[in-house]
Amino acid sequence: DLLGQPAQAVSELEKLIASNPVFKEEAQYNLGVSYYHLYSSDQIDKAVTEFEQVAQQTSDAALKYMAKAGLVRSFAMRVFHNSRAGNQAASDKAFELTISTSQELLAAIKSDSVVPRKVRAEIQWRALNGRGVGRMFHSDNEPDLRAREASLDLARKDFEAADEISANNWEIVCNLG
């Protein structure tokens, strides 16, 4: 996936996981990332499934947190997809999951001294950026201009906080504009 070929990565990771390697949970996490980077609604749903399985099954704290950060980002994409499909109730639910999952994750990672600082920072910027994306997409359907501006201001603050942690990160910079 990091080579810009998520569809090929999906195919290769699915084969790898079928062989039940000792690092299956890490491969599942990477499969979730690959599904996420295909961006379509059905692929985002597959990403959620993989991230949820990893978060529930792994005993590796860092991997669990990374999977939860993947969930935040995927829920934010569900806000977008459900909104575009005209399903505002599902979009609202995805937004609630984006916010609640990010808050739980950020609180947990802040107090976890077992996970190395650099890994915690990676997880934090991903959660903050994902939450900002969710806020941004959710604001698109806000009819009240002041409420929309307030939501976008919170999104900007999330992006800025993520940028402080991971400066000049292309994903964050794109969201900051």
Side-chain angles (χ1 to χ4, degrees):
D1 176 56
L2 297 177
L3 297 176
Q5 299 177 7
Q8 182 179 348
V10 164
S11 175
E12 292 178 19
L13 286 164
E14 286 175 338
K15 289 176 195 170
L16 178 65
I17 291 166
S19 72
N20 203 25
V22 294
F23 51 89
K24 181 179 178 181
E25 292 162 346
E26 187 174 335
Q28 278 185 277
Y29 168 78
N30 285 301
L31 179 59
V33 170
S34 297
Y35 281 137
Y36 174 85
H37 284 280
L38 290 170
Y39 300 114
S40 70
S41 181
D42 61 326
Q43 299 302 321
I44 293 297
D45 290 344
K46 290 178 181 180
V48 167
T49 299
E50 295 302 326
F51 291 140
E52 284 177 337
Q53 286 180 0
V54 172
Q56 291 171 1
Q57 295 172 1
T58 190
S59 59
D60 180 325
L63 185 57
K64 180 184 297 274
Y65 292 140
M66 287 295 288
K68 288 184 178 186
L71 283 169
V72 172
R73 298 167 80 198
S74 297
F75 293 149
M77 288 301 296
R78 278 184 169 172
V79 172
F80 171 77
H81 286 297
N82 289 324
S83 178
R84 277 189 98 187
N87 189 342
Q88 194 57 43
S91 181
D92 290 344
K93 181 177 180 187
F95 178 67
E96 290 170 13
L97 286 169
T98 302
I99 299 300
S100 64
T101 305
S102 65
Q103 288 173 332
E104 291 167 13
L105 174 57
L106 290 166
I109 197 72
K110 184 178 183 179
S111 64
D112 191 320
S113 60
V114 174
V115 176
R117 184 188 61 75
K118 286 182 104 173
V119 177
R120 285 196 319 262
E122 182 76 14
I123 294 161
Q124 288 170 317
W125 83 254
R126 289 173 186 269
L128 288 163
N129 192 61
R131 184 171 71 187
V133 168
R135 290 180 200 262
M136 184 176 62
F137 287 150
H138 192 256
S139 75
D140 289 344
N141 294 314
E142 177 56 60
D144 180 88
L145 181 59
R146 287 187 186 166
R148 181 182 298 175
E149 288 172 346
S151 184
L152 288 172
D153 188 52
L154 290 173
R156 182 185 48 78
K157 288 177 182 178
D158 283 340
F159 297 143
E160 288 172 347
D163 189 53
E164 284 184 31
I165 296 167
S166 184
N168 299 317
N169 180 309
W170 72 267
E171 188 172 337
I172 301 164
V173 170
C174 290
N175 290 326
L176 279 169

